[in-house]
Amino acid sequence: MTKNKKEVNIETRKGSTMDEWPEPIVRVQSLAESNLSSLPDRYIKPASQRPTTIEEAPAATNIPIIDLEGLFSEDGSPDEAIMAQISEACREWGFFQVLNHGVRPELMDAARENWREFFHLPVNEKETYRNSPKTYEGYGSRLGVEKGAILDWSDYYFLHLLPLHLKDFNKWPSFPPTIREVIDEYGKEVVNLCGRVMKVLSLNLGLKEDEFQDAFGGENIGACLRVNYYPKCPRPELALGLSSHSDPGGMTILLPDDQVFGLQVRKNDMWITVKPHPHAFIVNIGDQIQILSNSAYKSVEHRVIVNSEKERVSLAFFYNPKSDIPIQPLQELVSTHNPPLYPPMTFDQYRLFIRTQGPQGKSHVESHVSPR
């Protein structure tokens, strides 16, 4: 595959900078627990990016909520009404919530609460698991290696679940005592949910049900988990827990905090604060599915706001293509009237954008559009 100029520029950044963070890491939890009266400059967003700069949608507005019960009958045929709801949500929103998704409610609660316990450990106990930008795996507090960047008000923990050769329990926390067992089971159930949604995405575009899955590598897909911890923030109107971005991978299954709102989705130049339904997952389309679908499905900008009263914990499960397969628009979805919008690029190459620059709105996927 011929490298374009953009790819070469990104690859030249890898070097030694990917092995270590450009500056000493400060844990946001430590800042939050130090009774700050003001926000450190490193966390103050430019005026145009602050939570109050773009109009927010009316409080009653929410992303679609879809009940998956009966999605596939015993003979494997899909329910057309549910399929249509998912199709509209993918095309119009890029985000939706799912109920009766097949993951046990008690497992969802256990996953979130195990991680809450972990983040409540003293910071120095968590340092054993500190991460680097090379893989992000472990305990972290920033995305991207740009020196002097304005940072987000959050800590996180990142884990690989698939492929199996990347799954290393030694990099998983050992406390609480049940966390490894719970997250292992949780990951397997969410992978099954992703497989069912992938079938729907394919069928809704008139493709064979396994078309998207095969393009991702069949059973050889990637799956990882980022657990987000957003401490209380002394000046939430100046900061973000996670800057505006679209997800670089294939599809994200988010288990939100069941007590505290924070996720905002951008639609029609307005920010919609998502109201999580009890024991629902929030599903969103990532850049790789936008590319595969030749932009029939679109990834959507989203961000996380913080508050001064309560912490938040959420679990983002990323379902990704095999890292070394070139991803490009599916042949069945392109024609002379609908040419391919994106050149081939592997997910390994693509995610270097995030690992060098951090979250940057939709600039990553938009900069990947083929020249005309």
Side-chain angles (χ1 to χ4, degrees), residues 152-305:
D152 291 333
W153 191 259
S154 60
D155 297 328
Y156 65 87
Y157 205 109
F158 188 89
L159 287 175
H160 289 291
L161 286 85
L162 291 173
L164 287 174
H165 72 268
L166 292 180
K167 185 177 181 178
D168 182 357
F169 282 123
N170 292 322
K171 295 178 180 176
W172 294 31
S174 57
F175 184 88
T178 57
I179 194 167
R180 293 181 180 180
E181 178 186 349
V182 167
I183 296 308
D184 193 38
E185 185 180 357
Y186 176 85
K188 290 171 182 174
E189 290 204 13
V190 177
V191 163
N192 289 336
L193 170 60
C194 290
R196 286 187 288 137
V197 175
M198 290 285 277
K199 288 182 179 180
V200 175
L201 297 181
S202 289
L203 290 169
N204 275 338
L205 290 177
L207 305 169
K208 296 175 184 174
E209 67 173 27
D210 292 330
E211 200 90 13
F212 268 33
Q213 191 68 49
D214 289 345
F216 266 39
E219 293 184 2
N220 298 314
I221 52 96
C224 45
L225 178 71
R226 189 180 70 222
V227 186
N228 308 297
Y229 178 69
Y230 305 104
K232 299 174 187 177
C233 180
R235 295 292 304 278
E237 74 280 7
L238 301 178
L240 288 172
L242 188 56
S243 295
S244 174
H245 67 288
S246 61
D247 289 344
M251 176 169 53
T252 303
I253 307 290
L254 179 74
L255 175 60
D257 195 299
D258 58 345
Q259 302 296 321
V260 187
F261 297 168
L263 174 65
Q264 291 189 324
V265 174
R266 191 169 186 169
K267 183 171 172 61
N268 300 330
D269 285 330
M270 300 180 77
W271 286 107
I272 294 167
T273 301
V274 175
K275 291 85 180 174
H277 192 284
H279 292 120
F281 281 117
I282 297 168
V283 180
N284 68 278
I285 300 298
D287 293 346
Q288 303 304 303
I289 283 180
Q290 175 169 326
I291 293 167
L292 273 184
S293 72
N294 207 32
S295 217
Y297 301 142
K298 290 184 173 62
S299 59
V300 170
E301 276 186 78
H302 50 287
R303 67 184 187 184
V304 176
I305 56 174

